[in-house]
Each structure stands twice: as structure tokens, then as C-alpha cells.
Amino acid sequence: MEIHADITHISYSEETIRQRVAEMGRELAAEYADKNPVFIGILKGAFVFLADLVRACEFPLEPQFLKASSYGMAAVTSGKVDIADALDVDIAGRHVLIVEDIIDTGVTMSRLRELLLERKPASLKFCAFLDKAERRKANIAVDYAGYVTPDAFFVGYGLDYAERYRNLPYIGVLKPELYEEK
Ligand code: IMP
Ligand code: MG
């Protein structure tokens, strides 16, 4: 596939992603195979990863979604997190895995953790395809990470900039001149 003109380079190719997601399915099986977990994908970014991840998991599970957004149209987190509290499943006593495209400062996830722990799940863990561990501000451990990645602005495979590029099948670095303020 030809690389999109707004991308400097491909960081994780389709093939790399496919292989890593398959491995993650096996890693998750070791913990969840007999637990019928609830996998909560955080919209919108996680929709692509969750779709691949659930098909890599050969055990019973329940996919669900929650919407969280903190970025608006900017490339840096605003610090304010907006969570549409519309989970239509009772997670009390269930094993819950939060599935994210990327965890950056962790502010979004720590707010979500507070809200979900009030509902008394049997366990609550975090899974993200990309973990920008060095950027973490909140005390959030990513239990299952596809890759720990250095700081860059990535798009594709669900990740957007101003709602664009989510449909790229690979993850690439966006040309900085496209989002840096002039
Ligand atoms: P946090 O609260 O700083 O951890 O923000 C996490 C959210 O920011 C993710 O769910 C993404 O929507 C967004 N985000 C963080 N880094 C990137 C990136 O490199 N590209 C696109 N979106 C990102
Ligand atoms: Mg996002």
C-alpha cells in the first residue's frame, strides 16, 4: 500500500499489527479464558483495535463501548475528560478490561477507573495498543500493551488528528507541520 502523503513514516505496519494483536489474544487467554470478561473499547479511537483484538481471543467475552474524549481538535490533552456514562451492562462482579488505542498522560484512564470502580467489578485492567509510558502523569499501569512507544504523534489504526486518518490500516507519524502551531 502506498504511504499517505501526510505521513512521515510507518511505525507499525499492517503485518506488524496483525502479528502483535494475535500474540495479545494469546496473552489475554492466559488470564481471561474462563472468566467471560467484558472488554470495554473506548470510542472512538479503540474501535479498530477492539475489532481485531476480540477476533484474536478464542474464548467467550463481551465487547462493550464507552465514549471518552479529552483532546477536542488539538494534538495535546486538554486535561479535561468528558465521559459519556452510557455503559448499558452491569459490571458488578465481572472481570473488566479497558481497551484503548493509545494511553498517553493516563488522565483519561484514571478518571474512567474511578467511575468504573464505583460499580464494583471483580477486576479492572488496562489494555492499549500503544503505551506512551514516558508521558504518563496519572498513576495508570498498562497491564497489556501492544508496544511501549516513544513520544510522537501517531495516526492510523483508529488514531486520529482532527477526526482524520482513523481508517489508515497502519500506524504512522503525522508530518509535524500539519499540527504544529505556526
Ligand atoms: P491521555 O488522557 O493523555 O492518556 O489521552 C489519551 C487519548 O489521547 C487517547 O485515547 C487518544 O485519543 C489521544 N492520543 C494520545 N496520543 C495520541 C497520538 O499520538 N495520536 C492520536 N491520538 C492520541
Ligand atoms: Mg482520541
Side-chain angles (χ1 to χ4, degrees):
M1 172 181 257
E2 216 168 297
I3 179 166
H4 191 290
D6 296 351
I7 302 296
T8 53
H9 62 274
I10 294 180
S11 310
Y12 304 94
S13 69
E14 270 188 271
E15 182 54 21
T16 299
I17 293 170
R18 198 188 58 73
Q19 286 179 15
R20 184 67 187 113
V21 172
E23 270 171 25
M24 293 179 85
R26 292 190 287 273
E27 290 167 17
L28 290 166
E31 175 155 3
Y32 291 110
D34 55 357
K35 295 197 166 111
N36 187 26
V38 183
F39 282 14
I40 303 180
I42 306 304
L43 293 171
K44 289 178 272 205
F47 81 108
V48 180
F49 176 44
L50 187 78
D52 284 348
L53 190 67
V54 296
R55 287 176 291 174
C57 289
E58 295 177 17
F59 53 85
L61 62 85
E62 184 176 335
Q64 289 286 347
F65 290 95
L66 261 184
K67 183 157 167 55
S69 48
S70 63
Y71 268 42
M73 300 298 262
V76 287
T77 190
S78 60
K80 278 193 234 145
V81 182
D82 172 32
I83 294 159
D85 197 8
L87 195 63
D88 60 3
V89 58
D90 182 9
I91 59 166
R94 301 287 302 272
H95 293 275
V96 174
L97 184 72
I98 304 293
V99 179
E100 258 284 33
D101 47 0
I102 190 164
I103 296 189
D104 183 19
T105 63
V107 171
T108 315
M109 287 306 100
S110 88
R111 180 76 190 108
L112 199 58
R113 178 174 56 192
E114 270 173 47
L115 288 172
L116 293 180
L117 284 178
E118 284 170 13
R119 300 176 178 200
K120 307 271 182 267
S123 68
L124 181 65
K125 290 197 173 185
F126 291 93
C127 174
F129 191 71
L130 296 182
D131 177 10
K132 285 189 190 172
E134 64 184 43
R135 297 246 316 153
R136 200 63 32 81
K137 287 187 196 143
N139 177 23
I140 285 284
V142 180
D143 303 284
Y144 295 93
Y147 293 96
V148 174
T149 184
D151 189 22
F153 196 75
F154 299 100
V155 294
Y157 199 61
L159 292 158
D160 74 306
Y161 173 61
E163 301 301 331
R164 292 188 63 193
Y165 313 108
R166 291 194 200 272
N167 59 327
L168 295 179
Y170 50 80
I171 297 174
V173 173
L174 190 62
K175 288 184 175 166
E177 63 265 30
L178 292 171
Y179 64 87
E180 273 168 4
E181 287 189 31
K182 304 211 170 68

